[in-house]
Amino acid sequence: MEFKILPFIAFLSVAIVVSHAALPSEEYWNSVLPNTPMPKAVKELLQPTSEWLEDKSTSVGVGGGGVNVNNNNNTHVSVGGKGGGVTVGTHNRRGRPVYVRVAPGQSPFIYHYAATESQLHDDPNVALFFLEKDLYAGNKMNLHFSKPANVETFLPRHVADSIPFSSSKLPEIYSEFSVKPDSDEAEAIKKTIQECEDTELVGEERFCATSLESMVDFSTFVLGKDARAVSTEAESAEQKVYRIEAVTRMPSDKPVVVCHKQEYAYAVFYCHKTDTTVAYGVSLVGAGGSKAEAVAVCHRDTSEWNPKHLAFQVLKVKPGSVPVCHYLPENHIVWASKN
């Protein structure tokens, strides 16, 4: 199917509807986490509930995350916010998104993986790993805060809960999202589900959140109702030298929950809690004056990680020898206690 963007763009000059009504996921957030700001990384993954109704008329929504255009032919165009780009996709007759994979590769933030040769040379996340001893004001780091490639958004909770999420249900899942069983998209779906079903590392508690509400539930179960969520925000996506301006450890005697966005047909987060992980807020200034407010997590015990994990190969250290840290990409979330 060929998608034409220009008619939709032309439509913007005819009728623009601006809506400030809270979405159900936002309402849930506010009810469970009152007076707790929602990070930009979360806001950008929310979609209006009308996106999932079968009988849709053409509409345009303009918000902080960009512009979304939907019509009753089940075609949508999303023009992201700053650095967000343009994506075009469709929904099938049941209102589900048709999944087109845009972010190949395996996550370096799941620690039982061995690094591949291509990952060592081509993965921009390589630059995000460092040692905790190097986290101090005045130090300089060569970093690459690449913009997220997988832009799939959250489903409303009732929709996500109605869709199977299990290795035993893969044919049904492929059918839901119009995915061919032998395609790259099918492989990405299978891999994410297997990661979510895999054996936990010693000292780890893991949960895969298929909706914003379920991520809130898991994080507040671990941390309590004083939990807060933070994410990295960087002005530039170019690799450059950054100077650390300030480092602030997130004040908590509780563990942190780190949620990594996975490759999937809709937003799924691999969330894990370990008692030996600490989180920091790091203010950075790059060459040319571009700024970043980054979130860094440091793992004090890496003895259970794969000895050939990307971090060990980049930093030239062994599992369990020293604390290993990494900055989080912009679409990952850290949950920590406020106190």
Side-chain angles (χ1 to χ4, degrees), residues 208-255:
C208 279
T210 59
S211 65
L212 176 58
E213 293 91 334
S214 63
M215 181 164 63
V216 169
D217 287 349
F218 175 72
S219 301
T220 53
F221 173 77
V222 172
L223 299 168
K225 293 297 181 68
D226 69 337
R228 63 166 175 155
V230 291
S231 62
T232 293
E233 293 187 24
E235 293 178 350
S236 173
E238 299 177 3
Q239 184 164 345
K240 62 180 64 180
V241 175
Y242 283 88
R243 182 181 184 276
I244 298 177
E245 295 285 285
V247 178
T248 305
R249 178 172 173 174
M250 295 184 186
S252 174
D253 57 358
K254 297 180 181 179

mmCIF file of all heavy atoms in Angstrom, residues 208-255:
data_model
loop_
_atom_site.group_PDB
_atom_site.id
_atom_site.type_symbol
_atom_site.label_atom_id
_atom_site.label_comp_id
_atom_site.label_asym_id
_atom_site.label_seq_id
_atom_site.Cartn_x
_atom_site.Cartn_y
_atom_site.Cartn_z
ATOM 1 N N CYS A 208 7.328 -7.116 32.639
ATOM 2 C CA CYS A 208 7.165 -6.456 31.348
ATOM 3 C C CYS A 208 5.824 -5.749 31.320
ATOM 4 O O CYS A 208 4.765 -6.387 31.410
ATOM 5 C CB CYS A 208 7.288 -7.453 30.205
ATOM 6 S SG CYS A 208 9.020 -7.813 29.804
ATOM 7 N N ALA A 209 5.865 -4.439 31.212
ATOM 8 C CA ALA A 209 4.666 -3.602 31.241
ATOM 9 C C ALA A 209 4.153 -3.409 29.826
ATOM 10 O O ALA A 209 4.869 -2.892 28.964
ATOM 11 C CB ALA A 209 4.977 -2.256 31.878
ATOM 12 N N THR A 210 2.916 -3.805 29.585
ATOM 13 C CA THR A 210 2.305 -3.662 28.267
ATOM 14 C C THR A 210 1.385 -2.449 28.180
ATOM 15 O O THR A 210 0.751 -2.225 27.152
ATOM 16 C CB THR A 210 1.526 -4.936 27.902
ATOM 17 O OG1 THR A 210 0.522 -5.167 28.896
ATOM 18 C CG2 THR A 210 2.454 -6.138 27.824
ATOM 19 N N SER A 211 1.318 -1.679 29.256
ATOM 20 C CA SER A 211 0.551 -0.429 29.260
ATOM 21 C C SER A 211 1.187 0.503 30.286
ATOM 22 O O SER A 211 1.941 0.057 31.165
ATOM 23 C CB SER A 211 -0.913 -0.675 29.619
ATOM 24 O OG SER A 211 -1.040 -1.139 30.953
ATOM 25 N N LEU A 212 0.884 1.783 30.173
ATOM 26 C CA LEU A 212 1.405 2.729 31.154
ATOM 27 C C LEU A 212 0.881 2.392 32.544
ATOM 28 O O LEU A 212 1.619 2.449 33.531
ATOM 29 C CB LEU A 212 1.013 4.153 30.773
ATOM 30 C CG LEU A 212 1.415 5.236 31.780
ATOM 31 C CD1 LEU A 212 2.920 5.246 32.021
ATOM 32 C CD2 LEU A 212 0.940 6.600 31.309
ATOM 33 N N GLU A 213 -0.399 2.025 32.620
ATOM 34 C CA GLU A 213 -0.983 1.714 33.921
ATOM 35 C C GLU A 213 -0.266 0.557 34.598
ATOM 36 O O GLU A 213 -0.020 0.587 35.813
ATOM 37 C CB GLU A 213 -2.475 1.379 33.755
ATOM 38 C CG GLU A 213 -3.325 2.570 33.316
ATOM 39 C CD GLU A 213 -3.456 2.687 31.810
ATOM 40 O OE1 GLU A 213 -2.554 2.196 31.087
ATOM 41 O OE2 GLU A 213 -4.447 3.271 31.353
ATOM 42 N N SER A 214 0.085 -0.482 33.838
ATOM 43 C CA SER A 214 0.766 -1.629 34.445
ATOM 44 C C SER A 214 2.182 -1.272 34.881
ATOM 45 O O SER A 214 2.686 -1.800 35.873
ATOM 46 C CB SER A 214 0.770 -2.820 33.484
ATOM 47 O OG SER A 214 1.500 -2.548 32.306
ATOM 48 N N MET A 215 2.851 -0.349 34.167
ATOM 49 C CA MET A 215 4.172 0.101 34.591
ATOM 50 C C MET A 215 4.063 0.892 35.897
ATOM 51 O O MET A 215 4.885 0.733 36.807
ATOM 52 C CB MET A 215 4.838 0.953 33.510
ATOM 53 C CG MET A 215 6.238 1.429 33.895
ATOM 54 S SD MET A 215 7.251 2.031 32.516
ATOM 55 C CE MET A 215 6.305 3.437 31.964
ATOM 56 N N VAL A 216 3.048 1.742 36.009
ATOM 57 C CA VAL A 216 2.814 2.479 37.247
ATOM 58 C C VAL A 216 2.546 1.510 38.395
ATOM 59 O O VAL A 216 3.085 1.652 39.498
ATOM 60 C CB VAL A 216 1.637 3.460 37.077
ATOM 61 C CG1 VAL A 216 1.212 4.041 38.419
ATOM 62 C CG2 VAL A 216 2.013 4.582 36.118
ATOM 63 N N ASP A 217 1.732 0.495 38.148
ATOM 64 C CA ASP A 217 1.389 -0.468 39.199
ATOM 65 C C ASP A 217 2.618 -1.204 39.710
ATOM 66 O O ASP A 217 2.803 -1.366 40.919
ATOM 67 C CB ASP A 217 0.367 -1.481 38.675
ATOM 68 C CG ASP A 217 -1.025 -0.893 38.510
ATOM 69 O OD1 ASP A 217 -1.248 0.239 38.996
ATOM 70 O OD2 ASP A 217 -1.870 -1.556 37.901
ATOM 71 N N PHE A 218 3.463 -1.671 38.795
ATOM 72 C CA PHE A 218 4.660 -2.409 39.219
ATOM 73 C C PHE A 218 5.611 -1.510 40.001
ATOM 74 O O PHE A 218 6.133 -1.898 41.056
ATOM 75 C CB PHE A 218 5.389 -2.991 38.004
ATOM 76 C CG PHE A 218 6.692 -3.665 38.344
ATOM 77 C CD1 PHE A 218 6.717 -4.884 39.001
ATOM 78 C CD2 PHE A 218 7.902 -3.067 38.011
ATOM 79 C CE1 PHE A 218 7.913 -5.505 39.329
ATOM 80 C CE2 PHE A 218 9.111 -3.679 38.321
ATOM 81 C CZ PHE A 218 9.126 -4.905 38.979
ATOM 82 N N SER A 219 5.836 -0.309 39.499
ATOM 83 C CA SER A 219 6.803 0.590 40.132
ATOM 84 C C SER A 219 6.339 1.037 41.512
ATOM 85 O O SER A 219 7.137 1.120 42.451
ATOM 86 C CB SER A 219 7.056 1.802 39.228
ATOM 87 O OG SER A 219 7.548 1.385 37.975
ATOM 88 N N THR A 220 5.045 1.303 41.657
ATOM 89 C CA THR A 220 4.545 1.716 42.969
ATOM 90 C C THR A 220 4.442 0.529 43.920
ATOM 91 O O THR A 220 4.537 0.686 45.136
ATOM 92 C CB THR A 220 3.170 2.407 42.846
ATOM 93 O OG1 THR A 220 2.271 1.570 42.118
ATOM 94 C CG2 THR A 220 3.308 3.740 42.128
ATOM 95 N N PHE A 221 4.275 -0.679 43.389
ATOM 96 C CA PHE A 221 4.308 -1.879 44.231
ATOM 97 C C PHE A 221 5.691 -2.048 44.851
ATOM 98 O O PHE A 221 5.833 -2.392 46.034
ATOM 99 C CB PHE A 221 3.949 -3.115 43.409
ATOM 100 C CG PHE A 221 4.127 -4.412 44.148
ATOM 101 C CD1 PHE A 221 3.195 -4.831 45.086
ATOM 102 C CD2 PHE A 221 5.241 -5.215 43.915
ATOM 103 C CE1 PHE A 221 3.365 -6.036 45.781
ATOM 104 C CE2 PHE A 221 5.425 -6.407 44.601
ATOM 105 C CZ PHE A 221 4.479 -6.821 45.543
ATOM 106 N N VAL A 222 6.729 -1.790 44.063
ATOM 107 C CA VAL A 222 8.110 -1.935 44.545
ATOM 108 C C VAL A 222 8.507 -0.776 45.450
ATOM 109 O O VAL A 222 9.138 -0.978 46.499
ATOM 110 C CB VAL A 222 9.082 -2.041 43.351
ATOM 111 C CG1 VAL A 222 10.535 -1.997 43.839
ATOM 112 C CG2 VAL A 222 8.831 -3.317 42.562
ATOM 113 N N LEU A 223 8.140 0.437 45.062
ATOM 114 C CA LEU A 223 8.664 1.633 45.723
ATOM 115 C C LEU A 223 7.670 2.325 46.645
ATOM 116 O O LEU A 223 8.067 3.148 47.470
ATOM 117 C CB LEU A 223 9.136 2.634 44.665
ATOM 118 C CG LEU A 223 10.254 2.159 43.735
ATOM 119 C CD1 LEU A 223 10.423 3.127 42.570
ATOM 120 C CD2 LEU A 223 11.563 2.031 44.498
ATOM 121 N N GLY A 224 6.389 2.040 46.472
ATOM 122 C CA GLY A 224 5.383 2.769 47.235
ATOM 123 C C GLY A 224 4.845 3.944 46.450
ATOM 124 O O GLY A 224 5.312 4.278 45.346
ATOM 125 N N LYS A 225 3.866 4.628 47.027
ATOM 126 C CA LYS A 225 3.181 5.716 46.323
ATOM 127 C C LYS A 225 4.001 7.005 46.221
ATOM 128 O O LYS A 225 3.569 7.967 45.583
ATOM 129 C CB LYS A 225 1.844 6.015 47.024
ATOM 130 C CG LYS A 225 0.832 4.866 46.909
ATOM 131 C CD LYS A 225 0.457 4.618 45.456
ATOM 132 C CE LYS A 225 -0.565 3.481 45.317
ATOM 133 N NZ LYS A 225 -1.873 3.814 45.854
ATOM 134 N N ASP A 226 5.182 7.035 46.851
ATOM 135 C CA ASP A 226 6.024 8.231 46.703
ATOM 136 C C ASP A 226 7.021 8.054 45.559
ATOM 137 O O ASP A 226 8.017 8.768 45.471
ATOM 138 C CB ASP A 226 6.747 8.549 48.011
ATOM 139 C CG ASP A 226 7.807 7.518 48.368
ATOM 140 O OD1 ASP A 226 7.695 6.369 47.883
ATOM 141 O OD2 ASP A 226 8.745 7.848 49.119
ATOM 142 N N ALA A 227 6.735 7.116 44.660
ATOM 143 C CA ALA A 227 7.623 6.897 43.520
ATOM 144 C C ALA A 227 7.553 8.068 42.551
ATOM 145 O O ALA A 227 6.533 8.733 42.420
ATOM 146 C CB ALA A 227 7.231 5.608 42.802
ATOM 147 N N ARG A 228 8.650 8.320 41.889
ATOM 148 C CA ARG A 228 8.678 9.324 40.821
ATOM 149 C C ARG A 228 9.398 8.725 39.623
ATOM 150 O O ARG A 228 10.244 7.834 39.761
ATOM 151 C CB ARG A 228 9.390 10.602 41.269
ATOM 152 C CG ARG A 228 10.854 10.405 41.609
ATOM 153 C CD ARG A 228 11.584 11.729 41.717
ATOM 154 N NE ARG A 228 12.962 11.561 42.165
ATOM 155 C CZ ARG A 228 13.936 12.422 41.899
ATOM 156 N NH1 ARG A 228 13.676 13.507 41.194
ATOM 157 N NH2 ARG A 228 15.156 12.213 42.348
ATOM 158 N N ALA A 229 9.089 9.215 38.440
ATOM 159 C CA ALA A 229 9.696 8.726 37.209
ATOM 160 C C ALA A 229 10.511 9.838 36.560
ATOM 161 O O ALA A 229 10.089 10.989 36.539
ATOM 162 C CB ALA A 229 8.621 8.236 36.248
ATOM 163 N N VAL A 230 11.674 9.478 36.039
ATOM 164 C CA VAL A 230 12.536 10.449 35.366
ATOM 165 C C VAL A 230 13.091 9.814 34.101
ATOM 166 O O VAL A 230 13.204 8.590 33.986
ATOM 167 C CB VAL A 230 13.700 10.918 36.271
ATOM 168 C CG1 VAL A 230 13.193 11.756 37.423
ATOM 169 C CG2 VAL A 230 14.499 9.733 36.793
ATOM 170 N N SER A 231 13.440 10.660 33.142
ATOM 171 C CA SER A 231 14.026 10.173 31.900
ATOM 172 C C SER A 231 15.039 11.178 31.381
ATOM 173 O O SER A 231 15.059 12.343 31.795
ATOM 174 C CB SER A 231 12.934 9.936 30.841
ATOM 175 O OG SER A 231 12.269 11.147 30.528
ATOM 176 N N THR A 232 15.884 10.731 30.472
ATOM 177 C CA THR A 232 16.904 11.579 29.863
ATOM 178 C C THR A 232 16.274 12.511 28.825
ATOM 179 O O THR A 232 15.387 12.113 28.079
ATOM 180 C CB THR A 232 17.977 10.710 29.180
ATOM 181 O OG1 THR A 232 18.707 9.984 30.177
ATOM 182 C CG2 THR A 232 18.943 11.541 28.352
ATOM 183 N N GLU A 233 16.746 13.760 28.805
ATOM 184 C CA GLU A 233 16.349 14.705 27.763
ATOM 185 C C GLU A 233 17.605 15.393 27.243
ATOM 186 O O GLU A 233 18.327 16.026 28.007
ATOM 187 C CB GLU A 233 15.363 15.739 28.307
ATOM 188 C CG GLU A 233 14.009 15.160 28.703
ATOM 189 C CD GLU A 233 12.991 16.228 29.074
ATOM 190 O OE1 GLU A 233 13.153 17.375 28.596
ATOM 191 O OE2 GLU A 233 12.061 15.919 29.839
ATOM 192 N N ALA A 234 17.864 15.223 25.956
ATOM 193 C CA ALA A 234 19.061 15.795 25.348
ATOM 194 C C ALA A 234 18.673 16.664 24.159
ATOM 195 O O ALA A 234 17.787 16.299 23.375
ATOM 196 C CB ALA A 234 20.018 14.692 24.904
ATOM 197 N N GLU A 235 19.322 17.814 24.027
ATOM 198 C CA GLU A 235 19.002 18.732 22.935
ATOM 199 C C GLU A 235 19.558 18.259 21.599
ATOM 200 O O GLU A 235 19.034 18.602 20.541
ATOM 201 C CB GLU A 235 19.553 20.127 23.249
ATOM 202 C CG GLU A 235 18.875 20.803 24.435
ATOM 203 C CD GLU A 235 19.470 22.167 24.754
ATOM 204 O OE1 GLU A 235 20.527 22.504 24.172
ATOM 205 O OE2 GLU A 235 18.882 22.885 25.581
ATOM 206 N N SER A 236 20.622 17.471 21.636
ATOM 207 C CA SER A 236 21.286 17.058 20.399
ATOM 208 C C SER A 236 21.365 15.540 20.315
ATOM 209 O O SER A 236 21.539 14.858 21.328
ATOM 210 C CB SER A 236 22.707 17.638 20.336
ATOM 211 O OG SER A 236 23.420 17.108 19.228
ATOM 212 N N ALA A 237 21.225 15.024 19.082
ATOM 213 C CA ALA A 237 21.362 13.587 18.853
ATOM 214 C C ALA A 237 22.732 13.238 18.282
ATOM 215 O O ALA A 237 22.999 12.091 17.969
ATOM 216 C CB ALA A 237 20.262 13.113 17.898
ATOM 217 N N GLU A 238 23.593 14.228 18.138
ATOM 218 C CA GLU A 238 24.918 13.982 17.576
ATOM 219 C C GLU A 238 25.891 13.496 18.645
ATOM 220 O O GLU A 238 25.795 13.880 19.807
ATOM 221 C CB GLU A 238 25.465 15.266 16.942
ATOM 222 C CG GLU A 238 24.624 15.809 15.798
ATOM 223 C CD GLU A 238 25.178 17.113 15.262
ATOM 224 O OE1 GLU A 238 26.241 17.552 15.751
ATOM 225 O OE2 GLU A 238 24.552 17.697 14.362
ATOM 226 N N GLN A 239 26.805 12.647 18.232
ATOM 227 C CA GLN A 239 27.852 12.224 19.155
ATOM 228 C C GLN A 239 28.836 13.376 19.346
ATOM 229 O O GLN A 239 29.291 13.988 18.395
ATOM 230 C CB GLN A 239 28.596 11.002 18.621
ATOM 231 C CG GLN A 239 29.643 10.470 19.595
ATOM 232 C CD GLN A 239 30.094 9.072 19.248
ATOM 233 O OE1 GLN A 239 29.446 8.392 18.457
ATOM 234 N NE2 GLN A 239 31.193 8.629 19.823
ATOM 235 N N LYS A 240 29.103 13.701 20.611
ATOM 236 C CA LYS A 240 30.002 14.815 20.893
ATOM 237 C C LYS A 240 30.564 14.689 22.298
ATOM 238 O O LYS A 240 30.117 13.844 23.092
ATOM 239 C CB LYS A 240 29.256 16.142 20.748
ATOM 240 C CG LYS A 240 28.085 16.318 21.712
ATOM 241 C CD LYS A 240 27.399 17.663 21.506
ATOM 242 C CE LYS A 240 26.762 17.782 20.146
ATOM 243 N NZ LYS A 240 26.097 19.085 19.922
ATOM 244 N N VAL A 241 31.517 15.523 22.602
ATOM 245 C CA VAL A 241 32.106 15.557 23.942
ATOM 246 C C VAL A 241 31.228 16.409 24.849
ATOM 247 O O VAL A 241 30.894 17.550 24.517
ATOM 248 C CB VAL A 241 33.540 16.117 23.910
ATOM 249 C CG1 VAL A 241 34.095 16.263 25.330
ATOM 250 C CG2 VAL A 241 34.448 15.203 23.089
ATOM 251 N N TYR A 242 30.846 15.843 25.983
ATOM 252 C CA TYR A 242 30.056 16.548 26.986
ATOM 253 C C TYR A 242 30.887 16.737 28.250
ATOM 254 O O TYR A 242 31.679 15.864 28.628
ATOM 255 C CB TYR A 242 28.802 15.758 27.357
ATOM 256 C CG TYR A 242 27.677 15.820 26.357
ATOM 257 C CD1 TYR A 242 27.616 14.914 25.305
ATOM 258 C CD2 TYR A 242 26.668 16.767 26.476
ATOM 259 C CE1 TYR A 242 26.561 14.952 24.393
ATOM 260 C CE2 TYR A 242 25.613 16.811 25.566
ATOM 261 C CZ TYR A 242 25.569 15.910 24.533
ATOM 262 O OH TYR A 242 24.531 15.951 23.637
ATOM 263 N N ARG A 243 30.679 17.873 28.888
ATOM 264 C CA ARG A 243 31.296 18.139 30.187
ATOM 265 C C ARG A 243 30.223 17.993 31.265
ATOM 266 O O ARG A 243 29.129 18.527 31.142
ATOM 267 C CB ARG A 243 31.886 19.547 30.234
ATOM 268 C CG ARG A 243 32.593 19.876 31.552
ATOM 269 C CD ARG A 243 33.133 21.307 31.531
ATOM 270 N NE ARG A 243 33.893 21.607 32.731
ATOM 271 C CZ ARG A 243 33.362 22.003 33.885
ATOM 272 N NH1 ARG A 243 32.042 22.141 33.991
ATOM 273 N NH2 ARG A 243 34.132 22.256 34.926
ATOM 274 N N ILE A 244 30.545 17.222 32.305
ATOM 275 C CA ILE A 244 29.598 17.046 33.406
ATOM 276 C C ILE A 244 29.568 18.311 34.252
ATOM 277 O O ILE A 244 30.591 18.745 34.785
ATOM 278 C CB ILE A 244 29.983 15.839 34.284
ATOM 279 C CG1 ILE A 244 29.933 14.549 33.459
ATOM 280 C CG2 ILE A 244 29.048 15.729 35.489
ATOM 281 C CD1 ILE A 244 30.379 13.315 34.235
ATOM 282 N N GLU A 245 28.406 18.934 34.363
ATOM 283 C CA GLU A 245 28.242 20.146 35.153
ATOM 284 C C GLU A 245 27.868 19.835 36.602
ATOM 285 O O GLU A 245 28.326 20.516 37.525
ATOM 286 C CB GLU A 245 27.148 21.024 34.524
ATOM 287 C CG GLU A 245 27.504 21.557 33.150
ATOM 288 C CD GLU A 245 28.518 22.686 33.233
ATOM 289 O OE1 GLU A 245 28.143 23.801 33.617
ATOM 290 O OE2 GLU A 245 29.695 22.418 32.904
ATOM 291 N N ALA A 246 27.032 18.836 36.803
ATOM 292 C CA ALA A 246 26.594 18.494 38.159
ATOM 293 C C ALA A 246 26.105 17.059 38.188
ATOM 294 O O ALA A 246 25.594 16.542 37.193
ATOM 295 C CB ALA A 246 25.479 19.435 38.621
ATOM 296 N N VAL A 247 26.293 16.414 39.345
ATOM 297 C CA VAL A 247 25.843 15.037 39.556
ATOM 298 C C VAL A 247 25.033 14.998 40.845
ATOM 299 O O VAL A 247 25.489 15.468 41.889
ATOM 300 C CB VAL A 247 27.037 14.057 39.672
ATOM 301 C CG1 VAL A 247 26.528 12.634 39.933
ATOM 302 C CG2 VAL A 247 27.897 14.103 38.413
ATOM 303 N N THR A 248 23.834 14.446 40.772
ATOM 304 C CA THR A 248 22.968 14.357 41.948
ATOM 305 C C THR A 248 22.464 12.932 42.096
ATOM 306 O O THR A 248 21.775 12.420 41.203
ATOM 307 C CB THR A 248 21.762 15.303 41.831
ATOM 308 O OG1 THR A 248 22.228 16.636 41.595
ATOM 309 C CG2 THR A 248 20.930 15.268 43.109
ATOM 310 N N ARG A 249 22.812 12.295 43.191
ATOM 311 C CA ARG A 249 22.294 10.950 43.427
ATOM 312 C C ARG A 249 20.835 11.054 43.863
ATOM 313 O O ARG A 249 20.473 11.909 44.674
ATOM 314 C CB ARG A 249 23.102 10.222 44.502
ATOM 315 C CG ARG A 249 22.537 8.833 44.791
ATOM 316 C CD ARG A 249 23.417 8.017 45.696
ATOM 317 N NE ARG A 249 22.739 6.777 46.067
ATOM 318 C CZ ARG A 249 23.292 5.793 46.766
ATOM 319 N NH1 ARG A 249 24.555 5.894 47.171
ATOM 320 N NH2 ARG A 249 22.611 4.708 47.072
ATOM 321 N N MET A 250 19.997 10.205 43.276
ATOM 322 C CA MET A 250 18.586 10.208 43.644
ATOM 323 C C MET A 250 18.449 9.703 45.074
ATOM 324 O O MET A 250 18.880 8.583 45.382
ATOM 325 C CB MET A 250 17.789 9.345 42.672
ATOM 326 C CG MET A 250 17.800 9.913 41.265
ATOM 327 S SD MET A 250 16.786 9.009 40.096
ATOM 328 C CE MET A 250 17.224 9.888 38.582
ATOM 329 N N PRO A 251 17.907 10.530 45.957
ATOM 330 C CA PRO A 251 17.917 10.222 47.386
ATOM 331 C C PRO A 251 16.927 9.126 47.749
ATOM 332 O O PRO A 251 15.716 9.357 47.766
ATOM 333 C CB PRO A 251 17.519 11.560 48.029
ATOM 334 C CG PRO A 251 16.682 12.223 46.984
ATOM 335 C CD PRO A 251 17.221 11.787 45.663
ATOM 336 N N SER A 252 17.428 7.943 48.005
ATOM 337 C CA SER A 252 16.541 6.849 48.364
ATOM 338 C C SER A 252 17.340 5.713 48.971
ATOM 339 O O SER A 252 18.442 5.402 48.524
ATOM 340 C CB SER A 252 15.797 6.344 47.130
ATOM 341 O OG SER A 252 15.047 5.199 47.451
ATOM 342 N N ASP A 253 16.778 5.109 50.015
ATOM 343 C CA ASP A 253 17.379 3.892 50.551
ATOM 344 C C ASP A 253 16.669 2.662 50.001
ATOM 345 O O ASP A 253 16.936 1.539 50.399
ATOM 346 C CB ASP A 253 17.309 3.889 52.084
ATOM 347 C CG ASP A 253 15.884 4.026 52.606
ATOM 348 O OD1 ASP A 253 14.966 4.163 51.775
ATOM 349 O OD2 ASP A 253 15.705 3.996 53.836
ATOM 350 N N LYS A 254 15.757 2.913 49.033
ATOM 351 C CA LYS A 254 15.061 1.827 48.368
ATOM 352 C C LYS A 254 15.735 1.538 47.023
ATOM 353 O O LYS A 254 16.469 2.372 46.494
ATOM 354 C CB LYS A 254 13.590 2.195 48.137
ATOM 355 C CG LYS A 254 12.793 2.417 49.410
ATOM 356 C CD LYS A 254 11.355 2.785 49.083
ATOM 357 C CE LYS A 254 10.547 3.033 50.344
ATOM 358 N NZ LYS A 254 9.134 3.415 50.035
ATOM 359 N N PRO A 255 15.489 0.354 46.452
ATOM 360 C CA PRO A 255 16.037 0.080 45.119
ATOM 361 C C PRO A 255 15.377 0.959 44.070
ATOM 362 O O PRO A 255 14.361 1.613 44.338
ATOM 363 C CB PRO A 255 15.679 -1.399 44.899
ATOM 364 C CG PRO A 255 14.497 -1.632 45.772
ATOM 365 C CD PRO A 255 14.695 -0.763 46.981
#
